[in-house]
Amino acid sequence: MEKIYSNYQEQTGFNKVCPKTINFLLSYSQALFEFEYEDLEFETFLN
């Protein structure tokens, strides 16, 4: 398993990401609000 994982890591490459994509992801994460009430978890957007 270790050999397969290390070989796979060497094959992956990172492409340049567009600034629009990063801004979208940051905005999405800032708008997401999570809270818990007793044993329940809720997610909502603040837009």
Side-chain angles (χ1 to χ4, degrees), residues 13-29:
F14 294 101
N15 295 333
K16 192 170 184 179
V17 179
C18 179
K20 283 179 148 180
T21 305
I22 294 181
N23 287 336
F24 172 78
L25 292 173
L26 287 174
S27 297
Y28 179 83
S29 65

